[in-house]
Amino acid sequence: MTEKLYYENFDLNECEAVITAVSELGIATDRTCAYAEGGGQVGDSGVIVKDGVEYLFGNCVKSGGEVVELEGFSKVQLKSDVFHCVENAEGLKVGDRVLVRIDRVKRDGATNFHSALHIVLMAARRVKPEATQIIKGCAITSEGARIDFACEEKFSTDELARIEAEANAIIEANLPVRIYAFDGVKDAWMWECEEFSCPCGGTHKHFTGEVAKVSVKRKNIGKGCDRLVVA
């Protein structure tokens, strides 16, 4: 199991670690500050440094552990290893002591848009709750985010404007965000702000005012579905 230090400190840029596995997935370590893709959020990029040599990784993924179902969650992967998807692992082996360093710009962008997506969902629930109950999926990168709903009635132009205005009002209010482990399960995390909460294991801001002002648009993705795009 990899100790996921990003849950203790979202602002951690680097950490010392020991390599625990080398496989086709990449390099696993006993601890890491690099976020492994999940919950729609892109995984971190960065470098693993050994004896001054940098090994680039373009993504991080989870592997192994135990998948469980918890109330309110679809599935939660517990006690997993985090593999850093290095481009070339030659020269790295189990037992090596290394430094893991993330691409801070990519992380900050993904963190901003993941928090922004929650704020937009919070605003959409206030504006049109009947259309936002069934979430079909989401995607968060360092450049934007989107969330898909199963709903028959599309978001109107007026509703989009109201959602955007409400989301930016929430940002302007600089409300505190609470991030906590669900029922003490360390790999099952909740995001909470005022009356709104949802399961989420991504990286986040601790106050809504730390999120950049958003714009909200929609994209037609077929009958019975609608998509909100956050930029």
Side-chain angles (χ1 to χ4, degrees), residues 3 9 14 29-30 47 53 67 75 78 80 105 107 163:
E3 184 181 3
N9 182 0
E14 62 182 35
T29 52
D30 64 337
V47 292
V53 179
V67 177
K75 292 180 181 179
L78 307 178
S80 59
V105 173
R107 163 69 76 78
I163 290 169

Side-chain angles (χ1 to χ4, degrees), residues 5 11 17 34 49 53 77 95 109 118 131 145 148 161 177 184 191 193 212:
L5 300 177
D11 297 322
V49 185
V53 179
Q77 191 171 3
H118 282 297
D148 300 340
V177 172
W191 187 97
C193 181

Side-chain angles (χ1 to χ4, degrees), residues 75-144:
K75 292 180 181 179
V76 179
Q77 191 171 3
L78 307 178
K79 302 178 181 178
S80 59
D81 285 318
V82 172
F83 281 84
H84 309 76
C85 304
V86 297
E87 297 177 1
N88 181 1
E90 186 176 351
L92 297 176
K93 65 183 185 301
V94 173
D96 284 348
R97 293 186 176 275
V98 297
L99 182 74
V100 180
R101 181 184 300 130
I102 66 169
D103 179 338
R104 189 74 241 177
V105 173
K106 180 180 179 182
R107 163 69 76 78
D108 284 346
T111 297
N112 176 78
F113 280 111
H114 204 152
S115 295
L117 194 66
H118 282 297
I119 292 169
V120 168
L121 177 57
M122 182 177 171
R125 287 270 167 89
R126 292 177 175 178
V127 172
K128 196 171 184 178
E130 70 279 5
T132 60
Q133 297 306 310
I134 303 177
I135 298 172
K136 299 195 68 175
C138 64
I140 304 105
T141 71
S142 60
E143 299 177 346

Side-chain angles (χ1 to χ4, degrees), residues 186-198:
K186 197 169 183 181
D187 283 332
W189 295 87
M190 298 291 295
W191 187 97
E192 183 178 277
C193 181
E194 291 201 324
E195 83 289 350
F196 177 77
S197 66
C198 66

